[in-house]
Amino acid sequence: MAVMDEGRPPRRAASGAPVPPGFRSRLLEGLTPSQIRAVLAGARRQRVSRNEVLQHEGEPASHLSLLVTGLAAFYTATFEGDKLFLRWITPGDAFGLAALQNQPQPYLATVQTLQESSVLLWERMSAHALFSQVPRLRENLYAVASDYMARLAHVLVSRTSQTAEQRLARMLVESAHQIGRAGREGIALDLTNELLAEAADVSVFTASRQLSEWHRQGILAKSRGKILLRAPKRLVSLLAGHRP
Amino acid sequence: MAVMDEGRPPRRAASGAPVPPGFRSRLLEGLTPSQIRAVLAGARRQRVSRNEVLQHEGEPASHLSLLVTGLAAFYTATFEGDKLFLRWITPGDAFGLAALQNQPQPYLATVQTLQESSVLLWERMSAHALFSQVPRLRENLYAVASDYMARLAHVLVSRTSQTAEQRLARMLVESAHQIGRAGREGIALDLTNELLAEAADVSVFTASRQLSEWHRQGILAKSRGKILLRAPKRLVSLLAGHRP
DNA sequence: CGCATTGTTGACAAAGTTCAATTTGCGTGG
DNA sequence: CCACGCAAATTGAACTTTGTCAACAATGCG
């Protein structure tokens, strides 16, 4: 993964703050420092508060975006208009990949912040120009798109072939990797039952019952809006060791 | 969509038959005739019989492929190893897009023929070379990949938020577009209950019951391995007109 | 301290799957 | 050309999983 050069104080982008030291993104991997500077210079940096919609499914894909700090969720809408969680967007994740198509396309999903965040935004046309100048960007873009594909396929498999219990376990384990904070007691997650239920596509009631069950078994501890995974391995075993 | 030049007799590719006249593929759209010749010349043409596996999920993506004639299905495997239908592959559809990544990647899905078919195969490295020579190919590739994303998202929405009846209706309507033969009586589909059930992710029993119901209502006619859609619009109305 | 948000619990209902028992259709070989 | 045999399709009934709903509890913020 690309790491920003931490040696020298990073140059301030034309219209925004620099990227935090140590920031990594799959999209910028393998670029030279000067290429990274050029790419960042073409972006607009923006702070966004919690629960802000960064892109709206169906609207023309006008920007390529990159989450710098914070947390967002990537949703698609059902035919009835309910939102359907697809994945977390964490710092370093790009979204709005539809903007890089030659023909203007609509966004495939809605992205909404779950915490105060900051993003880099490239306007469609200037992104096209940048991607022509830096071939490595195109390669990275394709890799990122492929990663979306693979994740989407996993979600699909999970939703259609796993039980509610397994989906919850999977979501907890994945979330632990992506948005968890490791501590002495275990891995801490800032998730309400409601958000977790939504992410695992389970009713809040099922989520509550299952979490209580795992709490009883000592696998995790709960408090309001927080989950502490004490034994993530026991959750993993619910997934893999399913067939005896 | 790209159409092969039908004016002159198509030049025979190095190691296979030419593409049939009128053949169209999203992947080759916008290429000049000479570019198309060059691209086809780099491919191996292959006949494959029914139920042949063209690529295996998890194996290294060694080839980019293009279905020329016939029909195939694009499956992914569940964690238990069952196959999970994702989409049809019809003539002109490319698959094995993972081969175009810079780093070698595994195939994301299994592709299996449902009829006697023929495919064009590009070995990974020569595909890379071709795609460097013809920038338009890269653009098309990205568009094709985006189309996969969009379809996958649709499947996901369908699987998680629609009833068995709706999924069957949707699958019938989609299949009618993609693999149906329009006739005076309606649109004919060569599908067994089993294949349809698999594609809609429904048990064969549910499929049988629902088809019988629609048969009773005059929406379709069935015979062994065949379905004749008489009133596809009434199926569509089950999807959209669901909310009153 | 009061109130809104978040979480819990039990009873019940709905949607589909599973299973077993048959029936139907169709190609084939005698 | 007929009967056989297999694959495809059907049907009813029990069963499972999970969602829905209503009522309630507890947590923590202002």
Short mmCIF file of all heavy atoms in Angstrom, two decimals, chain C residues 8-25:
data_model
loop_
_atom_site.label_atom_id
_atom_site.label_comp_id
_atom_site.label_asym_id
_atom_site.label_seq_id
_atom_site.Cartn_x
_atom_site.Cartn_y
_atom_site.Cartn_z
P DT C 8 -29.74 -5.82 24.60
OP1 DT C 8 -28.81 -6.40 25.60
OP2 DT C 8 -29.62 -6.15 23.18
"O5'" DT C 8 -31.20 -6.16 25.11
"C5'" DT C 8 -31.55 -5.82 26.44
"C4'" DT C 8 -32.87 -6.46 26.81
"O4'" DT C 8 -33.95 -5.74 26.17
"C3'" DT C 8 -33.05 -7.92 26.43
"O3'" DT C 8 -33.50 -8.59 27.59
"C2'" DT C 8 -34.10 -7.91 25.32
"C1'" DT C 8 -34.90 -6.66 25.68
N1 DT C 8 -35.60 -5.94 24.58
C2 DT C 8 -36.94 -5.67 24.73
O2 DT C 8 -37.57 -5.99 25.70
N3 DT C 8 -37.50 -4.99 23.68
C4 DT C 8 -36.86 -4.56 22.52
O4 DT C 8 -37.47 -3.95 21.66
C5 DT C 8 -35.46 -4.88 22.43
C7 DT C 8 -34.68 -4.48 21.23
C6 DT C 8 -34.90 -5.56 23.45
P DT C 9 -33.26 -10.18 27.73
OP1 DT C 9 -32.78 -10.38 29.10
OP2 DT C 9 -32.50 -10.71 26.59
"O5'" DT C 9 -34.74 -10.73 27.63
"C5'" DT C 9 -35.77 -10.07 28.36
"C4'" DT C 9 -37.11 -10.45 27.80
"O4'" DT C 9 -37.49 -9.55 26.75
"C3'" DT C 9 -37.19 -11.86 27.20
"O3'" DT C 9 -38.00 -12.63 28.06
"C2'" DT C 9 -37.81 -11.66 25.82
"C1'" DT C 9 -38.36 -10.24 25.89
N1 DT C 9 -38.36 -9.47 24.62
C2 DT C 9 -39.49 -8.78 24.26
O2 DT C 9 -40.50 -8.76 24.92
N3 DT C 9 -39.38 -8.09 23.08
C4 DT C 9 -38.28 -8.04 22.25
O4 DT C 9 -38.30 -7.39 21.21
C5 DT C 9 -37.13 -8.80 22.68
C7 DT C 9 -35.89 -8.82 21.85
C6 DT C 9 -37.23 -9.47 23.82
P DG C 10 -38.22 -14.20 27.86
OP1 DG C 10 -38.33 -14.79 29.20
OP2 DG C 10 -37.27 -14.75 26.87
"O5'" DG C 10 -39.68 -14.17 27.20
"C5'" DG C 10 -40.70 -13.44 27.86
"C4'" DG C 10 -41.97 -13.49 27.04
"O4'" DG C 10 -41.88 -12.55 25.94
"C3'" DG C 10 -42.28 -14.84 26.41
"O3'" DG C 10 -43.68 -15.11 26.58
"C2'" DG C 10 -41.92 -14.66 24.95
"C1'" DG C 10 -42.23 -13.18 24.73
N9 DG C 10 -41.46 -12.56 23.67
C8 DG C 10 -40.14 -12.78 23.37
N7 DG C 10 -39.71 -12.06 22.37
C5 DG C 10 -40.81 -11.33 21.97
C6 DG C 10 -40.96 -10.39 20.93
O6 DG C 10 -40.11 -9.99 20.13
N1 DG C 10 -42.26 -9.88 20.85
C2 DG C 10 -43.28 -10.24 21.69
N2 DG C 10 -44.45 -9.65 21.48
N3 DG C 10 -43.16 -11.12 22.68
C4 DG C 10 -41.91 -11.63 22.76
P DA C 11 -44.31 -16.52 26.16
OP1 DA C 11 -45.04 -17.00 27.34
OP2 DA C 11 -43.30 -17.37 25.51
"O5'" DA C 11 -45.36 -16.05 25.05
"C5'" DA C 11 -46.05 -14.81 25.21
"C4'" DA C 11 -46.85 -14.52 23.96
"O4'" DA C 11 -46.01 -13.83 23.00
"C3'" DA C 11 -47.36 -15.77 23.24
"O3'" DA C 11 -48.62 -15.47 22.68
"C2'" DA C 11 -46.29 -16.01 22.19
"C1'" DA C 11 -45.95 -14.57 21.79
N9 DA C 11 -44.61 -14.40 21.23
C8 DA C 11 -43.46 -15.05 21.61
N7 DA C 11 -42.41 -14.68 20.93
C5 DA C 11 -42.89 -13.74 20.04
C6 DA C 11 -42.27 -12.96 19.04
N6 DA C 11 -40.97 -13.02 18.76
N1 DA C 11 -43.04 -12.11 18.34
C2 DA C 11 -44.35 -12.05 18.62
N3 DA C 11 -45.04 -12.72 19.55
C4 DA C 11 -44.24 -13.56 20.22
P DC C 12 -49.44 -16.60 21.91
OP1 DC C 12 -50.86 -16.33 22.21
OP2 DC C 12 -48.83 -17.92 22.14
"O5'" DC C 12 -49.19 -16.18 20.39
"C5'" DC C 12 -49.53 -14.87 19.97
"C4'" DC C 12 -49.02 -14.65 18.57
"O4'" DC C 12 -47.58 -14.64 18.56
"C3'" DC C 12 -49.45 -15.73 17.56
"O3'" DC C 12 -50.32 -15.11 16.63
"C2'" DC C 12 -48.13 -16.22 16.95
"C1'" DC C 12 -47.15 -15.10 17.30
N1 DC C 12 -45.73 -15.49 17.41
C2 DC C 12 -44.78 -14.88 16.60
O2 DC C 12 -45.15 -14.02 15.78
N3 DC C 12 -43.48 -15.24 16.70
C4 DC C 12 -43.12 -16.17 17.59
N4 DC C 12 -41.82 -16.48 17.66
C5 DC C 12 -44.07 -16.80 18.44
C6 DC C 12 -45.37 -16.44 18.32
P DA C 13 -50.94 -15.96 15.43
OP1 DA C 13 -52.30 -15.47 15.19
OP2 DA C 13 -50.68 -17.40 15.65
"O5'" DA C 13 -50.02 -15.44 14.25
"C5'" DA C 13 -49.69 -14.05 14.17
"C4'" DA C 13 -48.94 -13.80 12.88
"O4'" DA C 13 -47.55 -14.16 13.05
"C3'" DA C 13 -49.45 -14.64 11.71
"O3'" DA C 13 -49.41 -13.82 10.56
"C2'" DA C 13 -48.47 -15.82 11.66
"C1'" DA C 13 -47.17 -15.19 12.16
N9 DA C 13 -46.32 -16.10 12.92
C8 DA C 13 -46.70 -17.01 13.87
N7 DA C 13 -45.70 -17.68 14.40
C5 DA C 13 -44.58 -17.17 13.76
C6 DA C 13 -43.23 -17.46 13.87
N6 DA C 13 -42.73 -18.38 14.71
N1 DA C 13 -42.37 -16.77 13.08
C2 DA C 13 -42.86 -15.86 12.25
N3 DA C 13 -44.12 -15.49 12.04
C4 DA C 13 -44.94 -16.20 12.85
P DA C 14 -49.99 -14.36 9.20
OP1 DA C 14 -50.90 -13.32 8.69
OP2 DA C 14 -50.46 -15.77 9.37
"O5'" DA C 14 -48.69 -14.38 8.29
"C5'" DA C 14 -47.73 -13.34 8.44
"C4'" DA C 14 -46.53 -13.67 7.59
"O4'" DA C 14 -45.65 -14.55 8.33
"C3'" DA C 14 -46.90 -14.39 6.30
"O3'" DA C 14 -46.18 -13.77 5.25
"C2'" DA C 14 -46.48 -15.84 6.55
"C1'" DA C 14 -45.35 -15.70 7.56
N9 DA C 14 -45.23 -16.80 8.51
C8 DA C 14 -46.23 -17.50 9.12
N7 DA C 14 -45.80 -18.42 9.94
C5 DA C 14 -44.43 -18.32 9.88
C6 DA C 14 -43.40 -19.02 10.53
N6 DA C 14 -43.60 -20.00 11.40
N1 DA C 14 -42.13 -18.67 10.24
C2 DA C 14 -41.91 -17.69 9.37
N3 DA C 14 -42.80 -16.95 8.70
C4 DA C 14 -44.05 -17.33 9.00
P DA C 15 -46.48 -14.25 3.74
OP1 DA C 15 -46.73 -13.02 2.96
OP2 DA C 15 -47.45 -15.37 3.71
"O5'" DA C 15 -45.05 -14.81 3.35
"C5'" DA C 15 -43.91 -14.24 3.96
"C4'" DA C 15 -42.72 -15.13 3.71
"O4'" DA C 15 -42.67 -16.17 4.73
"C3'" DA C 15 -42.78 -15.85 2.36
"O3'" DA C 15 -41.51 -15.69 1.77
"C2'" DA C 15 -43.10 -17.31 2.73
"C1'" DA C 15 -42.52 -17.43 4.12
N9 DA C 15 -43.18 -18.38 5.02
C8 DA C 15 -44.51 -18.63 5.16
N7 DA C 15 -44.81 -19.52 6.07
C5 DA C 15 -43.58 -19.90 6.57
C6 DA C 15 -43.21 -20.82 7.57
N6 DA C 15 -44.07 -21.55 8.27
N1 DA C 15 -41.89 -20.96 7.83
C2 DA C 15 -41.01 -20.22 7.14
N3 DA C 15 -41.24 -19.31 6.18
C4 DA C 15 -42.56 -19.21 5.94
P DG C 16 -41.30 -15.97 0.20
OP1 DG C 16 -40.54 -14.87 -0.35
OP2 DG C 16 -42.60 -16.39 -0.41
"O5'" DG C 16 -40.34 -17.23 0.21
"C5'" DG C 16 -40.68 -18.25 1.02
"C4'" DG C 16 -39.47 -19.07 1.40
"O4'" DG C 16 -39.87 -19.74 2.60
"C3'" DG C 16 -39.20 -20.13 0.36
"O3'" DG C 16 -37.82 -20.48 0.40
"C2'" DG C 16 -40.09 -21.27 0.79
"C1'" DG C 16 -40.15 -21.10 2.32
N9 DG C 16 -41.47 -21.43 2.86
C8 DG C 16 -42.71 -21.07 2.38
N7 DG C 16 -43.70 -21.59 3.07
C5 DG C 16 -43.07 -22.34 4.05
C6 DG C 16 -43.61 -23.14 5.09
O6 DG C 16 -44.79 -23.36 5.34
N1 DG C 16 -42.61 -23.73 5.85
C2 DG C 16 -41.26 -23.56 5.65
N2 DG C 16 -40.44 -24.19 6.48
N3 DG C 16 -40.74 -22.81 4.69
C4 DG C 16 -41.71 -22.25 3.93
P DT C 17 -37.25 -21.53 -0.62
OP1 DT C 17 -36.02 -20.91 -1.10
OP2 DT C 17 -38.28 -22.02 -1.56
"O5'" DT C 17 -36.86 -22.75 0.35
"C5'" DT C 17 -36.18 -22.45 1.55
"C4'" DT C 17 -36.11 -23.68 2.42
"O4'" DT C 17 -37.41 -23.98 2.97
"C3'" DT C 17 -35.68 -24.93 1.65
"O3'" DT C 17 -34.64 -25.58 2.39
"C2'" DT C 17 -36.95 -25.77 1.55
"C1'" DT C 17 -37.73 -25.34 2.79
N1 DT C 17 -39.22 -25.44 2.66
C2 DT C 17 -39.92 -26.14 3.60
O2 DT C 17 -39.41 -26.72 4.54
N3 DT C 17 -41.29 -26.16 3.40
C4 DT C 17 -41.99 -25.55 2.38
O4 DT C 17 -43.22 -25.62 2.32
C5 DT C 17 -41.19 -24.83 1.43
C7 DT C 17 -41.84 -24.15 0.27
C6 DT C 17 -39.85 -24.81 1.61
P DT C 18 -33.88 -26.83 1.79
OP1 DT C 18 -32.52 -26.70 2.30
OP2 DT C 18 -34.16 -26.93 0.34
"O5'" DT C 18 -34.59 -28.09 2.49
"C5'" DT C 18 -34.85 -28.05 3.88
"C4'" DT C 18 -35.63 -29.28 4.29
"O4'" DT C 18 -37.04 -29.07 4.05
"C3'" DT C 18 -35.26 -30.55 3.52
"O3'" DT C 18 -35.02 -31.58 4.46
"C2'" DT C 18 -36.47 -30.83 2.64
"C1'" DT C 18 -37.60 -30.20 3.43
N1 DT C 18 -38.77 -29.71 2.65
C2 DT C 18 -40.04 -29.98 3.10
O2 DT C 18 -40.26 -30.63 4.10
N3 DT C 18 -41.05 -29.45 2.32
C4 DT C 18 -40.90 -28.70 1.18
O4 DT C 18 -41.89 -28.29 0.57
C5 DT C 18 -39.55 -28.44 0.76
C7 DT C 18 -39.28 -27.64 -0.47
C6 DT C 18 -38.55 -28.95 1.52
P DC C 19 -34.27 -32.94 4.04
OP1 DC C 19 -33.43 -33.33 5.18
OP2 DC C 19 -33.69 -32.79 2.68
"O5'" DC C 19 -35.49 -33.97 3.95
"C5'" DC C 19 -36.50 -33.91 4.95
"C4'" DC C 19 -37.67 -34.79 4.56
"O4'" DC C 19 -38.67 -34.01 3.87
"C3'" DC C 19 -37.31 -35.95 3.63
"O3'" DC C 19 -37.87 -37.13 4.18
"C2'" DC C 19 -37.94 -35.57 2.30
"C1'" DC C 19 -39.14 -34.75 2.76
N1 DC C 19 -39.67 -33.77 1.76
C2 DC C 19 -41.05 -33.52 1.74
O2 DC C 19 -41.79 -34.10 2.54
N3 DC C 19 -41.53 -32.63 0.84
C4 DC C 19 -40.69 -32.01 -0.01
N4 DC C 19 -41.22 -31.15 -0.87
C5 DC C 19 -39.29 -32.26 0.01
C6 DC C 19 -38.83 -33.14 0.90
P DA C 20 -37.39 -38.55 3.60
OP1 DA C 20 -36.73 -39.27 4.70
OP2 DA C 20 -36.71 -38.42 2.28
"O5'" DA C 20 -38.82 -39.21 3.34
"C5'" DA C 20 -39.97 -38.65 3.97
"C4'" DA C 20 -41.20 -39.08 3.21
"O4'" DA C 20 -41.61 -38.02 2.32
"C3'" DA C 20 -41.01 -40.31 2.33
"O3'" DA C 20 -42.22 -41.05 2.33
"C2'" DA C 20 -40.71 -39.69 0.97
"C1'" DA C 20 -41.65 -38.50 0.99
N9 DA C 20 -41.29 -37.39 0.10
C8 DA C 20 -40.03 -37.00 -0.27
N7 DA C 20 -40.02 -35.96 -1.08
C5 DA C 20 -41.36 -35.66 -1.24
C6 DA C 20 -42.03 -34.66 -1.97
N6 DA C 20 -41.40 -33.75 -2.71
N1 DA C 20 -43.37 -34.63 -1.93
C2 DA C 20 -44.00 -35.55 -1.18
N3 DA C 20 -43.49 -36.53 -0.43
C4 DA C 20 -42.15 -36.53 -0.51
P DA C 21 -42.31 -42.50 1.69
OP1 DA C 21 -42.73 -43.42 2.76
OP2 DA C 21 -41.10 -42.77 0.89
"O5'" DA C 21 -43.53 -42.30 0.69
"C5'" DA C 21 -44.59 -41.43 1.07
"C4'" DA C 21 -45.37 -41.04 -0.17
"O4'" DA C 21 -44.71 -39.90 -0.82
"C3'" DA C 21 -45.42 -42.16 -1.22
"O3'" DA C 21 -46.73 -42.21 -1.77
"C2'" DA C 21 -44.41 -41.70 -2.26
"C1'" DA C 21 -44.58 -40.19 -2.19
N9 DA C 21 -43.47 -39.42 -2.74
C8 DA C 21 -42.13 -39.68 -2.61
N7 DA C 21 -41.36 -38.80 -3.22
C5 DA C 21 -42.26 -37.91 -3.78
C6 DA C 21 -42.07 -36.75 -4.56
N6 DA C 21 -40.87 -36.29 -4.91
N1 DA C 21 -43.19 -36.10 -4.96
C2 DA C 21 -44.38 -36.57 -4.61
N3 DA C 21 -44.68 -37.65 -3.87
C4 DA C 21 -43.56 -38.27 -3.49
P DT C 22 -47.23 -43.61 -2.42
OP1 DT C 22 -48.60 -43.77 -1.99
OP2 DT C 22 -46.21 -44.69 -2.22
"O5'" DT C 22 -47.24 -43.29 -3.98
"C5'" DT C 22 -46.42 -42.29 -4.49
"C4'" DT C 22 -47.27 -41.27 -5.25
"O4'" DT C 22 -46.45 -40.11 -5.41
"C3'" DT C 22 -47.63 -41.76 -6.65
"O3'" DT C 22 -48.88 -41.26 -7.05
"C2'" DT C 22 -46.47 -41.25 -7.49
"C1'" DT C 22 -46.07 -39.95 -6.78
N1 DT C 22 -44.61 -39.70 -6.85
C2 DT C 22 -44.19 -38.57 -7.51
O2 DT C 22 -44.96 -37.77 -8.01
N3 DT C 22 -42.84 -38.42 -7.57
C4 DT C 22 -41.87 -39.26 -7.04
O4 DT C 22 -40.67 -39.00 -7.17
C5 DT C 22 -42.38 -40.43 -6.36
C7 DT C 22 -41.42 -41.41 -5.76
C6 DT C 22 -43.71 -40.59 -6.29
P DT C 23 -49.60 -41.89 -8.33
OP1 DT C 23 -51.05 -41.83 -8.08
OP2 DT C 23 -48.93 -43.16 -8.68
"O5'" DT C 23 -49.24 -40.82 -9.45
"C5'" DT C 23 -49.53 -39.45 -9.20
"C4'" DT C 23 -48.92 -38.62 -10.32
"O4'" DT C 23 -47.50 -38.58 -10.20
"C3'" DT C 23 -49.22 -39.17 -11.71
"O3'" DT C 23 -49.70 -38.09 -12.48
"C2'" DT C 23 -47.86 -39.69 -12.19
"C1'" DT C 23 -46.92 -38.74 -11.48
N1 DT C 23 -45.52 -39.20 -11.25
C2 DT C 23 -44.49 -38.41 -11.68
O2 DT C 23 -44.65 -37.36 -12.25
N3 DT C 23 -43.23 -38.90 -11.40
C4 DT C 23 -42.92 -40.07 -10.74
O4 DT C 23 -41.75 -40.40 -10.56
C5 DT C 23 -44.05 -40.86 -10.33
C7 DT C 23 -43.83 -42.15 -9.63
C6 DT C 23 -45.28 -40.40 -10.60
P DT C 24 -50.40 -38.32 -13.90
OP1 DT C 24 -51.61 -37.47 -13.93
OP2 DT C 24 -50.47 -39.77 -14.18
"O5'" DT C 24 -49.32 -37.67 -14.86
"C5'" DT C 24 -48.82 -36.39 -14.53
"C4'" DT C 24 -47.61 -36.11 -15.39
"O4'" DT C 24 -46.47 -36.84 -14.90
"C3'" DT C 24 -47.79 -36.51 -16.85
"O3'" DT C 24 -47.57 -35.34 -17.60
"C2'" DT C 24 -46.74 -37.59 -17.08
"C1'" DT C 24 -45.71 -37.26 -16.01
N1 DT C 24 -44.84 -38.36 -15.50
C2 DT C 24 -43.48 -38.20 -15.51
O2 DT C 24 -42.94 -37.20 -15.94
N3 DT C 24 -42.76 -39.25 -14.99
C4 DT C 24 -43.27 -40.43 -14.48
O4 DT C 24 -42.52 -41.31 -14.04
C5 DT C 24 -44.69 -40.54 -14.50
C7 DT C 24 -45.34 -41.78 -13.98
C6 DT C 24 -45.41 -39.52 -15.00
P DG C 25 -47.97 -35.27 -19.12
OP1 DG C 25 -48.43 -33.89 -19.40
OP2 DG C 25 -48.80 -36.44 -19.50
"O5'" DG C 25 -46.53 -35.43 -19.77
"C5'" DG C 25 -45.56 -34.45 -19.48
"C4'" DG C 25 -44.21 -34.93 -19.95
"O4'" DG C 25 -43.83 -36.11 -19.22
"C3'" DG C 25 -44.16 -35.29 -21.43
"O3'" DG C 25 -43.13 -34.50 -21.98
"C2'" DG C 25 -43.86 -36.79 -21.44
"C1'" DG C 25 -43.17 -36.99 -20.11
N9 DG C 25 -43.25 -38.29 -19.45
C8 DG C 25 -44.38 -39.00 -19.15
N7 DG C 25 -44.14 -40.12 -18.52
C5 DG C 25 -42.76 -40.15 -18.40
C6 DG C 25 -41.91 -41.13 -17.80
O6 DG C 25 -42.24 -42.18 -17.24
N1 DG C 25 -40.58 -40.76 -17.90
C2 DG C 25 -40.11 -39.61 -18.49
N2 DG C 25 -38.79 -39.43 -18.49
N3 DG C 25 -40.88 -38.69 -19.04
C4 DG C 25 -42.20 -39.03 -18.97
#
